[in-house]
Amino acid sequence: MEGPEAAAPVEPNREPSRQLEMDALLSYILLYGVVISLALVTISLIWKWLATGQVGFVYELAGMNLYQFATTQIRTTLAGQIRPELLMNLGIAVLMLTPFMRVIASLVFFAAVSKNWKYVLFTSFVLVVLTYSLFLR
Amino acid sequence: MTGMGGGVILIPALTLLGMDIKHAIALSILSIIATSSGSASAYVRDHITNLKVGMFLEMFTIVGALAGARITLTSSPRPLFIAFGVVLLGSWAALLLLGHQSWESAASQDSFSRWLELEGSYSDKALGKTIEYRGRRAYLGAPLMFGAGVIAGLLGIGAGALKVIIHDLVMGLPPKVSTTTSNLIIGVTALAGTSVYLASGLINPGLAGPVFLGVAVGALLGTRLLVRMTNQSVRRFFLFVLIVLAVEMIVRGIRGV
């Protein structure tokens, strides 16, 4: 078995401290995304239960993409109509944006820190496809 | 949980409770974003996940997931039940055959995988040393991951078992790296699938909330429970559950639900 140095001669992101910082950032994005989303959903369910005595929501979303979904929620929030349904929707939106943010952070890392253009390209592709999917109709 | 057992169990359970299979698939894939991101968070922090392997393979899984979810939208329920059962059978067979083989670093790396810089190292706490590894056969892993993405989007599951098999057997990654990297990939793949289901109006937030919360609590309890069980009993338990669910889903597919 050859040593690892035989495999990759130049690899800027082997710079250990930067890599560790990046891992920590990605980890926080994933963790807080899930925690915030869970908190919104939990508060929404408890609120609904306190207000109506039941946890079941009876409403459906008309088919819409995340962009329309999010803008509707923001408009409702600004109008001051905060209801359990709104918190639930926000929870779902935050959840969906969590992996999306993680990909954006990876892109920034590959571009700004490790300057690995090959992976900037790959990550951009993932980001473009995900963005496209969020705007699907 | 163990990289499997989220959607694979959730969807049969929801359909047994009377939910339409397409709605169940949509809710499952949404919950998977949460469970995979939650566990990926811990693994990324511990520097086990390989971000490059993840990003490279995500290019293929997300396109697969978009295609898979589109197929589900136009499909009738019965083929979905049967496909689900077949995938469960496949996971069952994989679990039966694989299980406990030891891993060795690939001696040689093909030029494509080297160009992709698919190598890395992590410190293994159980073994108390740093493991160096090099991934290989990315040209084979990539199209297979597209297939895993199609299945994930189609059936609303993480298809974690399948991804781990591709990482392990085809690309020669160490088991811990393959499990944790597949977790990272699953989050993004599930997002692509979820977008399609959201756009088609299949995600019912009224049901999503309780299901999502239940899955999160279940995943936590499951992990607690799993660490107390031996590897052997976990494996036997999953073997039993998978075969029962596989047969049940196929039978329901054939008999028309």
Side-chain angles (χ1 to χ4, degrees):
Chain A
M1 216 179 82
E2 302 165 77
E5 62 274 11
V10 189
E11 216 189 347
N13 72 329
R14 273 289 168 96
E15 216 179 305
S17 64
R18 290 286 177 79
Q19 175 76 56
L20 298 192
E21 278 169 30
M22 189 56 210
D23 283 352
L25 176 65
L26 293 186
S27 170
Y28 282 133
I29 291 177
L30 292 170
L31 182 65
Y32 287 121
V34 174
V35 167
I36 292 170
S37 149
L38 268 178
L40 286 168
V41 169
T42 310
I43 294 170
S44 156
L45 287 176
I46 293 174
W47 185 353
K48 184 77 181 178
W49 180 66
L50 290 176
T52 64
Q54 56 189 13
V55 286
F57 282 81
V58 189
Y59 75 109
E60 296 217 8
L61 287 175
M64 54 169 87
N65 60 40
L66 189 72
Y67 173 71
Q68 297 165 314
F69 185 59
T71 45
T72 315
Q73 306 321 316
I74 291 166
R75 211 174 302 128
T76 324
T77 314
L78 292 179
Q81 304 167 326
I82 300 179
R83 292 174 304 133
E85 285 81 358
L86 173 74
L87 291 183
M88 175 70 69
N89 291 351
L90 281 177
I92 293 173
V94 169
L95 180 64
M96 289 183 70
L97 285 173
T98 300
F100 190 71
M101 293 303 292
R102 199 271 295 163
V103 175
I104 292 180
S106 312
L107 180 64
V108 171
F109 168 70
F110 284 128
V113 181
S114 73
K115 301 203 174 11
N116 186 331
W117 304 116
K118 211 183 298 173
Y119 273 85
V120 168
L121 189 71
F122 295 162
T123 312
S124 308
F125 175 78
V126 171
L127 199 60
V128 168
V129 175
L130 283 183
T131 313
Y132 157 77
S133 82
L134 293 180
F135 284 86
L136 272 181
R137 235 311 356 166
Chain B
M1 287 214 289
T2 51
M4 108 158 84
V8 155
I9 292 173
L10 182 63
I11 294 172
L14 288 177
T15 55
L16 279 176
L17 290 172
M19 191 184 285
D20 157 56
I21 189 165
K22 289 186 189 180
H23 283 90
I25 287 172
L27 285 189
S28 164
I29 201 159
L30 178 71
S31 322
I32 284 170
I33 301 181
T35 49
S36 77
S37 299
S39 41
S41 158
Y43 299 135
V44 171
R45 192 190 53 220
D46 293 341
H47 317 298
I48 304 175
T49 310
N50 189 318
L51 188 60
K52 282 184 186 165
V53 173
M55 286 318 309
F56 172 66
L57 295 176
E58 275 167 16
M59 293 197 289
F60 301 91
T61 60
I62 54 173
V63 177
L66 290 176
R70 283 289 161 109
I71 298 173
T72 296
L73 292 184
T74 55
S75 166
S76 63
R78 287 174 67 176
L80 293 177
F81 273 100
I82 295 173
F84 201 94
V86 170
V87 167
L88 287 178
L89 267 185
S91 312
W92 178 80
L95 193 62
L96 192 70
L97 296 175
L98 296 174
H100 29 235
Q101 23 124 334
S102 59
W103 172 84
E104 268 180 47
S105 178
S108 61
Q109 197 180 26
D110 54 278
S111 51
F112 184 53
S113 303
R114 192 175 310 129
W115 181 75
L116 290 170
E117 302 160 19
L118 299 185
E119 60 263 312
S121 62
Y122 71 98
S123 84
D124 194 313
K125 282 175 187 148
L127 298 174
K129 59 175 181 178
T130 302
I131 309 276
E132 301 265 1
Y133 61 89
R134 277 180 285 162
R136 60 198 170 110
R137 292 196 289 213
Y139 52 85
L140 201 59
L144 288 174
M145 286 306 261
F146 171 79
V150 172
I151 292 177
L154 184 74
L155 301 176
I157 58 178
L162 203 59
K163 286 172 180 146
V164 168
I165 292 172
I166 297 169
H167 287 165
D168 272 11
L169 295 187
V170 178
M171 300 183 65
L173 300 175
K176 282 192 183 168
V177 177
S178 64
T179 321
T180 56
T181 305
S182 107
N183 233 306
L184 191 75
I185 299 175
I186 287 172
V188 171
T189 313
L191 173 59
T194 304
S195 309
V196 176
Y197 291 115
L198 182 72
S200 68
L202 276 175
I203 291 181
N204 180 337
L207 293 169
V211 167
F212 168 38
L213 211 57
V215 167
V217 172
L220 270 177
L221 291 181
T223 315
R224 290 281 156 83
L225 198 67
L226 281 181
V227 290
R228 291 186 194 178
M229 291 164 78
T230 63
N231 278 338
Q232 266 311 314
S233 48
V234 170
R235 193 164 163 266
R236 262 188 238 120
F237 172 72
F238 272 107
L239 280 173
F240 174 73
V241 172
L242 284 175
I243 193 75
V244 169
L245 291 179
V247 171
E248 197 252 315
M249 293 299 270
I250 292 176
V251 167
R252 284 169 74 190
I254 293 170
R255 290 167 72 194
V257 190

